[in-house]
Structures are given as structure tokens and as C-alpha cells.
Amino acid sequence: MLQKLGKEVMIFDGAFGTELEKRGIMSKMPELLNVTNKDAIADIHKSYIDAGCDFITTNTFGANRIKMPNEDRKSVIESAIELAKRHRTTQYVMCDIGPLGKMLYPMGDLSFDDAYEAFKEIVMIARDLVDGFILETFTDLYELKCALLAVKENTDKPVFTTMTFDTTGHTLTGTSPRIMAELMSNMGADAIGVNCSLGPKDLRPIVEEFLTCCDKPILVQPNRGIPTLLNGRASYSLSADAFALAMENFCQSGVAVLGGCCGTNPEFIQAIAKNKGKMVAPRQIVRKTTITSATQLVTFDKVQICGERINPTGKKKLKEAIINNDFDYIFKEAIKQEEAGAHLLDVNMGVPKTDDVTNMKNVVVKLNEITNLPLQIDSSNPKAIEAGCRYYNGVPLINSVNGNEDNMAAIFPIAKKYGAVVLGLTMDDNGIPQTAEERFAIAERILNGAAQYGIPSHRMMMDTLTLTCSAQQPLVKETLRALRMVTEKLHLPTAGYRKRIS
């Protein structure tokens, strides 16, 4: 699969509900039909195989413990996979995982950990039986991140991710295609894109955004236009030929995987399968050093202000607040900094004799709710950094890594796993070097170390470390020289100083 993906145009199947209606077996819980109407489900898969699809989607979209708490989910999922395989020849069977049916905190009352366990259950049942996973029709980036972690932590099978967007170019929870692409590509999804949502014409601006900002193969599965109600049922006017023409235009723009969603049927898949096997069209992609929340992004191509009032260093009141679990004080500081014009917020819970790992998790989860600003996860404890990255809804900045080999070995796997950008400090076991050349050598070492862990240069920043000007004036010039060397020779964004917002 991965040998073809992104090189040759590949074809997904189409809508399932359309075919269930055609056979008169619609159900409020269509996943149960995998057990009660096996031949009909297998026949639907066959109709898409005959139409020319490369990927078969299992009938498991809602087969999770939230939507099906009292059902034998294992039997339902295993049967779905067996039916998807029954008539296949060369097709890849993808386990379909949709949203759980409850919103995660802070938009709902479902915890990240409980959601993870629900997704993990599906993955554990399916992982040895399928060729890959497709996480589709998500509207909440946080839930999609949770599902992606459940797949990647429990199997090495390929995973595709798609979300639904409205005419404003955002998901229901305010995420743009660019923000979704940044997090999903950083975290290692194998294909990224959009499904459901709108018809192909209205999806054009959304698809174009994916094509220019995401270096992963792009997957597009539109609806058959916008439906109207006819006798209580959705009716679509878009023809298979018109649908295929729009999809061919996507193909010419560089989309790698084509498919259909609501309203489409085997006729539509057969029409777009004419593109199957074509070379994926080249596209120009610009990846920048960017961090995000679920709704805002910060790109380090100009001066950005980091608010550091949630860092206890030199802050007696904040230390006391952390010791006393006075989180309201912390959250008020976050709001003040956002109102004062900060572009991102530093979060550090490092106070002696406190549980900085638990505190980091709890504070980050709450900050997901009260601020839209991206976060910088800051700690000398790798476990606290991982807690912050895991429960953060977006692409975080990790502060920091240095030139020590053990430190890089502790931090880079976390950054790789959670898709973070990393701030490197030009120091090692011997402290901060005196000369710009020595600091630059450490910067190169850090950058090379990141590459060894699969972290590209656009996810790295460097701090050449400002020292006290009044006491060490000659070293200030070395900091500035090192800053220039990192910028001009390594082409990395830099943090030469940090502005505090009081």
C-alpha cells in the first residue's frame, strides 16, 4: 500500500447508507447488519470492488463502546472485516473508525483517557485482521488526535485521517485544514484530508489549502453535492459524470486518493476510477515552523511574543499557587497574558515537592478550554513534557532540548510522537560555550540529532542563550554572532531573547 500511496492515484469506495437503502435494510445501528445481514453487506463491498476501488472500508464506523455499550463489539468488528475481505482481490481493507458520539472535555464530559480506551479497543480487535485504519468524519481535532494515538501506539499499520469542514473552511469546533494538517502530518498520519462535508465544488478551497500546506498524500471523499429532502429522504441532483469531472480536477491538482461519501454509489466510484493508476500530480508545498492550538496557529517567520507568567522561576505567588493547587490563579494569569497581546504561552509546573507531571496534565487540559493561544510546554522533567504534549490540543512547542546526548534521547522521541516543534539550547554538559563557533557546533549537533529521530528542520528552533549583559558584555556579541550563524547557515528560527508579559 505505502509503495503506491502518494505516487499513483488510488480509489476509495463510496457511501454505505445509499446501498443499504437500495436493498431495503436500513438500520439505526448499521454495524449490527454485519451479523444479521452478512450476504447483503458483503455484496455492497463487492459492488465497490467491481467499480474499481483500491480500498474497502469496513462497516464499523460506529462500532465503539459509547454508541454500542451493550453489543458484542468484537463479533461485530470481526464479522465486518471478514465481509470486507470476502470478495476482495487486490484491495486493501481499512478498518473504519468514526467519532465516539460524545464530545471530549472541555466541549463535553468525556475524558481524553476514556476516549483513548474506547478507540484502543477497536484497534486491538482489528489490528491483525486489516491492512490499515481510516479515522473519518471527525469534527473535533482533540478527538482525532486521541484516535490517532490509539492506532499508532498499538499497531504499525497505515492510518488515514479525515475531518469534515463547513463552508467557512472550518470544522464544527473551529479547526482549519492547515491546523489539522500540521498536527496530523507531524504525528505521522499516512494520508490526510476531508470527507463528507460538502460536494466537490464547495470543497475546492478546503482541498487547495491541504494541497499547499501538507506534505502527506491528500485524500478527498466528498458528498454527492448538497442534498434536498424528498419524501423524508435525502435526494441528490449531482450526476456521476459531474462528480467525476470535479474529482478529475482534484487529481490534476495533486490529490492522491479519491473516493465518495454521502449519496455516492458504485456508479460514482466507477466514474472516478478512470483516474486510477495515474501518477500523482506534483505540487508546491511550503512547510514552515508552526505551532497551533485547535483554532490558532503561530508561524515563526517574524517576532512572536511568548508570555511566561505561568513559569514559577522567580515568581513567589505562582509557586505558592502551584503548591496549594490554586489553579484559578494560574488560569487568570493565562487570560491576562492573552489580553496583553501574547502570541503563545509558556507552561511550567516545576516546583520542588510537587507532582509536576499531574499538574502539567491538569493545567494543559484546562488551558485547552480557556485560551486559544498555542502553548510552549516547558520543564526539566521529560515526563512532565510528555504529559503536556499528550493532553494538548494542537502542535506544541517543547522547551527545551540541549546538546547532551541523554537529553536529546529523552526529548526527541516525545517530540516525534506528539508532533511538537522543539526549541534547542546551545549548551551541553560543559555549560554555555564562550564562543559563537562553539554554540553553533552544538546547534548543528542538536539539528542532526533531531534528524536521526525523524524530526525535520522545519520543526526545530534554536536559542543561542542571552547572558547577563552588565556582567558579561563581551559574551553578548558572541550570542549575536551565534544567532546570525544559526539563522544564515542552518536557516532556523531563533529565540535570541524572551519577552515577558507582566
Side-chain angles (χ1 to χ4, degrees):
M1 180 198 308
L2 295 181
Q3 288 78 14
K4 290 184 179 181
L5 184 64
K7 300 178 181 68
E8 299 178 15
V9 174
M10 303 181 78
I11 307 298
F12 249 91
D13 52 11
F16 220 78
T18 308
E19 298 305 292
L20 291 175
E21 279 188 5
K22 186 187 297 183
R23 290 161 176 77
I25 53 171
M26 280 298 291
S27 169
K28 290 182 179 179
M29 199 171 287
E31 294 79 12
L32 293 181
L33 299 174
N34 297 325
V35 177
T36 62
N37 295 70
K38 291 188 175 185
D39 289 344
I41 299 301
D43 186 59
I44 292 173
H45 290 309
K46 184 177 185 301
S47 69
Y48 283 119
I49 291 170
D50 292 342
C53 72
D54 294 298
F55 296 101
I56 308 169
T57 308
T58 61
N59 182 32
T60 53
F61 179 79
N64 63 68
R65 64 175 60 170
I66 306 297
K67 291 182 178 179
M68 298 174 57
N70 301 314
E71 308 295 339
D72 182 356
R73 295 181 294 277
K74 186 173 186 292
S75 295
V76 167
I77 293 169
E78 288 178 342
S79 180
I81 296 168
E82 184 274 320
L83 297 173
K85 288 181 174 180
R86 181 180 291 184
H87 299 292
R88 76 161 172 175
T89 53
T90 59
Q91 291 75 27
Y92 303 104
V93 172
M94 304 293 283
C95 180
D96 187 15
I97 300 178
L100 295 172
K102 276 188 176 183
M103 296 298 290
L104 271 65
Y105 181 87
M107 304 198 71
D109 58 4
L110 182 63
S111 75
F112 188 93
D113 292 331
D114 286 344
Y116 177 89
E117 290 302 320
F119 288 126
K120 179 181 176 181
E121 178 185 56
I122 303 167
V123 175
M124 298 299 287
I125 294 170
R127 64 182 183 179
D128 295 327
L129 306 174
V130 296
D131 299 302
F133 293 82
I134 178 165
L135 313 178
E136 61 154 326
T137 324
F138 282 76
T139 60
D140 179 9
L141 185 66
Y142 202 36
E143 185 179 16
L144 180 57
K145 173 183 177 176
C146 182
L148 181 59
L149 282 173
V151 175
K152 293 192 73 66
E153 289 182 347
N154 295 286
T155 178
D156 59 359
K157 295 291 176 68
V159 55
F160 300 171
T161 61
T162 64
M163 297 188 80
T164 65
F165 299 85
D166 60 27
T167 53
T168 70
H170 296 81
T171 69
L172 180 67
T173 54
T175 296
S176 69
R178 169 80 184 276
I179 289 174
M180 179 215 174
E182 290 287 345
L183 181 59
M184 292 294 104
S185 60
N186 287 7
M187 288 183 64
D190 294 287
I192 295 166
V194 55
N195 80 299
C196 202
S197 307
L198 306 162
K201 180 180 177 181
D202 293 319
L203 280 182
R204 185 79 213 184
I206 293 165
V207 174
E208 287 178 347
E209 189 171 343
F210 276 119
L211 288 169
T212 56
C213 73
C214 181
D215 54 10
K216 296 287 187 174
I218 303 302
L219 163 62
V220 180
Q221 292 181 288
N223 287 342
R224 183 183 169 182
I226 299 175
T228 57
L229 281 179
L230 182 64
N231 298 323
R233 291 187 174 182
S235 175
Y236 299 86
S237 60
L238 191 65
S239 69
D241 288 342
F243 185 87
L245 179 61
M247 297 297 277
E248 184 177 356
N249 290 335
F250 284 147
C251 183
Q252 292 171 352
S253 299
V255 171
V257 187
L258 307 174
C261 205
C262 300
T264 61
N265 57 44
E267 180 187 3
F268 283 70
I269 301 309
Q270 185 174 22
I272 67 174
K274 295 173 184 177
N275 298 290
K276 180 177 178 177
K278 291 180 179 178
M279 297 301 294
V280 174
R283 51 195 171 97
Q284 284 203 318
I285 304 159
V286 179
R287 293 300 307 270
K288 297 182 178 180
T289 305
T290 300
I291 61 173
T292 82
S293 65
T295 59
Q296 289 188 20
L297 57 84
V298 168
T299 300
F300 293 102
D301 55 1
K302 59 183 178 181
V303 174
Q304 304 287 7
I305 300 173
C306 180
E308 292 204 348
R309 298 297 301 173
I310 314 178
N311 184 325
T313 303
K315 302 180 187 69
K316 183 178 178 181
K317 287 185 178 180
L318 180 60
K319 287 181 180 178
E320 292 174 352
I322 293 172
I323 291 170
N324 297 323
N325 293 320
D326 181 8
F327 294 118
D328 285 344
Y329 177 87
I330 296 170
F331 303 139
K332 288 176 183 176
E333 289 296 320
I335 294 169
K336 285 180 184 178
Q337 291 178 100
E338 184 169 7
E339 291 174 347
H343 299 123
L344 62 150
L345 299 179
D346 182 86
V347 183
N348 188 317
M349 293 290 108
V351 175
K353 298 182 181 180
T354 63
D355 185 348
D356 57 339
V357 176
T358 300
N359 287 341
M360 180 67 82
K361 171 188 172 180
N362 293 339
V363 168
V364 165
V365 168
K366 186 66 176 179
L367 288 173
N368 286 335
E369 176 185 5
I370 67 171
T371 179
N372 291 321
L373 296 184
L375 299 184
Q376 174 174 275
I377 308 300
D378 184 359
S379 179
S380 59
N381 181 357
K383 291 182 179 179
I385 287 178
E386 177 155 20
C389 290
R390 186 174 188 85
Y391 294 97
Y392 179 56
N393 189 6
V395 177
L397 174 61
I398 290 177
N399 184 7
S400 55
V401 68
N402 61 50
N404 175 276
E405 293 294 337
D406 290 340
N407 184 252
M408 288 191 282
I411 300 301
F412 283 142
I414 298 171
K416 171 73 172 176
K417 181 176 182 178
Y418 298 103
V421 173
V422 184
L423 179 62
L425 307 183
T426 56
M427 60 183 292
D428 56 19
D429 290 341
N430 298 316
I432 302 173
Q434 298 288 300
T435 69
E437 286 76 14
E438 290 173 302
R439 296 188 205 183
F440 178 77
I442 294 176
E444 281 191 307
R445 189 194 314 159
I446 293 171
L447 188 60
N448 291 334
Q452 291 175 8
Y453 285 90
I455 300 170
S457 60
H458 70 260
R459 283 170 51 196
M460 292 298 300
M461 299 178 63
M462 209 62 63
D463 187 342
T464 56
L465 299 172
T466 303
L467 301 173
T468 306
C469 297
S470 59
Q472 298 172 303
Q473 288 189 18
L475 295 185
V476 174
K477 292 182 180 180
E478 295 303 304
T479 295
L480 295 176
R481 283 208 309 122
L483 196 70
R484 185 175 295 111
M485 292 170 70
V486 166
T487 302
E488 295 179 352
K489 295 183 179 182
L490 301 182
H491 309 290
L492 296 181
T494 56
Y497 65 94
R498 195 156 299 127
K499 180 168 180 171
R500 299 180 184 273
I501 294 181
S502 302

